[in-house]
Amino acid sequence: MHPVELTFYKLVSKEIELSDFENWVYTETTLEQTLNSDDYLEIISINYKTPSGLYEAQKVLSKYFSMGKYYEWSIRNILHKIIAKPDDVHKYIEQCYDLYCEGFGFMDNLGLGYGLGLTCPDGFNDKVEEFYPHITEEAERVLLWLDTGKIIITGHSGEYQGIEYDDNRSPKEKEPTGYKIQKSKKWWQFWL
């Protein structure tokens, strides 16, 4: 992955502060080689201390990098975090639910089967241990779909229909598996 592309993705996902990005803009030599002269001039002229600084930088750089590729990069990062199981793994599991709600229907097993349960107020975060090893299998399954081209994220549709992606999975692969975990609890037990 191109270093400018990686930094753009980190900016969009808010993994780097805007002030750090601004410093990077002024010091990164490959940036001038990557952008055309007008866009380079625009990116170094942005006032990064204003609320619109992030939007303006994204607008310039999105001409050079695919948002579909960004979403794939972001999803892969989340899945690898779930597999690695850091201390704050619950936030990555919850992000699966957010991704499902944003239009990534292929994240249904992780989003609805696991992530939704963590968004309910009852200390369900303590239940994360019970998700393993099954959640790892689900994360690896989605990574396999991305690796083999069964899921190809093409980007945003430009309308209010969510994110576009090609779904080449078989009907069997589309069947829900993660829901079984939540069905074992009574719906009202989430709020007790």
Side-chain angles (χ1 to χ4, degrees):
M1 178 176 297
H2 193 281
V4 174
E5 183 178 26
L6 180 59
T7 304
F8 171 60
Y9 293 163
K10 287 182 177 182
L11 176 68
V12 173
S13 63
K14 297 183 174 101
E15 287 184 32
I16 59 173
E17 295 293 324
L18 194 54
S19 59
D20 293 335
F21 178 77
E22 178 181 19
N23 291 333
W24 176 85
V25 163
Y26 301 135
T27 59
E28 180 58 45
T29 57
T30 60
L31 185 60
E32 188 173 6
Q33 299 162 356
T34 304
L35 307 180
N36 70 39
S37 58
D38 290 340
D39 289 335
Y40 180 72
L41 183 60
E42 186 173 347
I43 201 98
I44 63 170
S45 300
I46 293 172
N47 182 353
Y48 291 97
K49 296 184 181 21
T50 64
S52 64
L54 175 63
Y55 169 76
E56 291 176 40
Q58 287 178 347
K59 188 172 80 171
V60 172
L61 293 176
S62 66
K63 296 183 220 174
Y64 295 88
F65 305 111
S66 160
M67 288 307 289
K69 197 170 174 187
Y70 160 73
Y71 286 117
E72 182 177 337
W73 172 84
S74 178
I75 289 169
R76 285 179 181 278
N77 279 347
I78 291 167
L79 296 174
H80 285 294
K81 293 282 188 181
I82 290 170
I83 292 167
K85 198 178 168 193
D87 291 339
D88 60 350
V89 70
H90 61 87
K91 74 179 184 182
Y92 300 104
I93 297 170
E94 287 177 19
Q95 287 176 356
C96 291
Y97 176 67
D98 295 338
L99 287 166
Y100 172 76
C101 291
E102 288 174 18
F104 294 104
F106 63 91
M107 296 290 291
D108 60 344
N109 292 329
L110 288 165
L112 297 176
Y114 300 94
L116 178 61
L118 293 182
T119 64
C120 297
D122 74 340
F124 203 65
N125 289 348
D126 300 334
K127 305 286 187 190
V128 169
E129 287 300 319
E130 295 176 17
F131 292 168
Y132 286 86
H134 299 293
I135 193 169
T136 301
E137 294 166 5
E138 289 293 338
E140 289 171 345
R141 186 173 321 183
V142 175
L143 283 169
L144 181 64
W145 293 336
L146 292 168
D147 290 343
T148 59
K150 290 191 175 191
I151 296 290
I152 301 169
I153 302 172
T154 57
H156 195 278
S157 66
E159 299 174 14
Y160 297 103
Q161 298 173 4
I163 308 304
E164 286 185 345
Y165 62 91
D166 295 331
D167 190 341
N168 302 311
R169 297 176 296 161
S170 69
K172 176 105 174 110
E173 291 171 313
K174 293 178 183 180
E175 289 179 11
T177 60
Y179 302 116
K180 296 172 189 166
I181 292 162
Q182 296 303 325
K183 287 183 180 178
S184 65
K185 279 187 130 333
K186 303 276 189 246
W187 67 269
W188 61 84
Q189 289 178 326
F190 286 116
W191 290 276
L192 292 179

